[in-house]
Amino acid sequence: MRSFRKVLLFFAVVILYEGVFSFLLEPVTYGHFLDIELEKDRENGKIPDMAVIGDSCTEMDFVPSVLERELEGEGVSCVLNAGTGSQMIWGTYYYLKDLFRQYDLKYVVVGIDYGIFAAEEDYVPKRELVVLDRIKSMDIKAEYIGNCLEWQDWLQLLTSYRYRENMESMAENLKAKLEAAYREGVDTREGTHYRERGYVYTEERGELRTRIHPAGDWRVERISDRAMEYLDCIVDLCREEDAELFLVAMPYTFSGIYQSETHQPIYAFFSAYAAEKGVPFWDFNLLRDRMRLLPDSMFSDEGHLGGNGALVCSSQLGKIMRDRLAGKDVSGYFYGSVEEMKADTEGIVACDFGTRSCGENGGRLIEAESIHAPDVVPEYEYWVREEGGEWVKLQEYGESTQCRIPAAYLDGKITIQVRCRRQGDTVEWERRTEKVREPGME
């Protein structure tokens, strides 16, 4: 009897320890706010009937309320954004399986991130655990643990152990979690923060912080067989649950797509896959009028839309789905290929610049570049502004991609702006970008 009591006492201490230190060590999570919101919805009789699911691109690109508005006529009343950071496709499968256990979903949108499918299959336990934390059904949790988490990482199932390195953040975490807003499910943080039913808002870069982003590199030969097997499982799962499935390739910056040599092959690969499976597949990188609808200025980085871009992306998806469900041909929303898109692109796509030392002559040399349509000759104009001062034009529009900043400007904080337009145009700029330079920066 005493031994039994000791065992009970031991487990009670472990549970208490886990509860207290998990609360202190675990940072504020988006899952916390989602759980509170879903519980409030449930109390009000509002149950998800559509889910968008995928990695952080899905999480930050689709706004549930916008989709609800666009699809109201299709019987959609409550959309759940089930995106999580770095969600692999096997995580999508198990999370979706759990959602079907909880809700009668009519429609499912799976965000296809080419980078996830065509990445080297590195194992990152914390990435898997983010999805695992969202799953409510214990048997599905156990299945996910057995198939996706290596046994040596099972100790990380204890939240206190997983976040054991956050000792210095305990006071900050405790302060945040004791606030009334946190308990009520309101994220008061600035910048990137939880907004609504799983959607996470982030700020866009804006026109002046737009850059030339790296070319998208998604090689078909690197696509994981395991990832495709799980995508097969998702297709089968949606059919078993009588839910209509839509596959959507998430948008990447236009400058990255324009330069990419691998986008067309991977787009063709998934198009063929979707046709074989009999499910719709739409690549939002190939939206017609893409430069106006989703310009690079609406992105927060290479692959995530800021708030305004998410509104546009969500509205477009809702309209396309609505037309598709009405039996209309939706192919007109998209270019048929990257080449067709590029052929329809005019003028300057993006511009960027860097600086380097001029050596013995002093000052720094601005070196500009741009991406543009093949028939375009770009020209550049260079400006500088000292902190608190007025803009000074360093060099008039011309074909030169270089301009010297006099050494006198380099003793204080300055802002450098490069403007770009096609030769022969009279606009002030077609694309422009600026950067701040502090003394001593390279």
Side-chain angles (χ1 to χ4, degrees), residues 111-239:
I112 301 294
D113 184 339
Y114 291 147
I116 292 291
F117 277 84
E120 297 300 330
E121 203 173 313
D122 52 337
Y123 170 68
V124 182
K126 286 190 177 180
R127 177 185 63 199
E128 310 295 353
L129 290 163
V130 170
V131 182
L132 183 65
D133 288 344
R134 296 283 186 97
I135 296 173
K136 308 302 181 186
S137 307
M138 294 309 297
D139 58 327
I140 298 176
K141 271 184 180 287
E143 187 180 356
Y144 186 40
I145 291 168
N147 291 331
C148 300
L149 202 65
E150 295 182 2
W151 68 267
Q152 62 265 32
D153 293 310
W154 286 11
L155 195 55
Q156 294 203 52
L157 295 172
L158 294 173
T159 305
S160 59
Y161 179 81
R162 190 191 317 175
Y163 295 105
R164 62 194 182 279
E165 297 176 359
N166 288 1
M167 297 294 288
E168 295 181 359
S169 304
M170 284 199 303
E172 181 182 345
N173 289 338
L174 182 60
K175 180 182 177 182
K177 292 179 179 180
L178 291 178
E179 291 181 356
Y182 176 83
R183 297 194 303 272
E184 293 169 4
V186 179
D187 192 350
T188 58
R189 292 172 294 185
E190 297 181 355
T192 303
H193 62 273
Y194 182 90
R195 183 64 66 88
E196 63 170 77
R197 210 172 294 112
Y199 163 64
V200 173
Y201 168 92
T202 189
E203 296 178 341
E204 63 185 35
R205 285 187 170 180
E207 175 207 5
L208 289 170
R209 295 183 63 221
T210 302
R211 307 281 183 260
I212 295 177
H213 294 98
D217 184 17
W218 308 287
R219 300 184 185 278
V220 172
E221 59 269 23
R222 290 211 310 255
I223 290 178
S224 160
D225 290 338
R226 181 189 180 202
M228 295 309 299
E229 288 171 4
Y230 272 100
L231 187 56
D232 288 343
C233 291
I234 289 171
V235 173
D236 293 340
L237 177 64
C238 288
R239 285 187 178 141

Side-chain angles (χ1 to χ4, degrees), residues 208 353-355 364 366 382-385 391 394 405 410 414-418 433-437:
L208 289 170
F353 70 90
T355 69
R364 293 190 71 82
I366 304 172
Y382 303 86
W383 295 74
V384 67
R385 181 178 63 188
W391 282 105
L394 294 176
I405 307 173
L410 303 179
I414 59 172
T415 303
I416 306 163
Q417 185 177 123
V418 173
T433 188
E434 68 179 36
K435 299 177 184 178
V436 173
R437 186 180 187 279

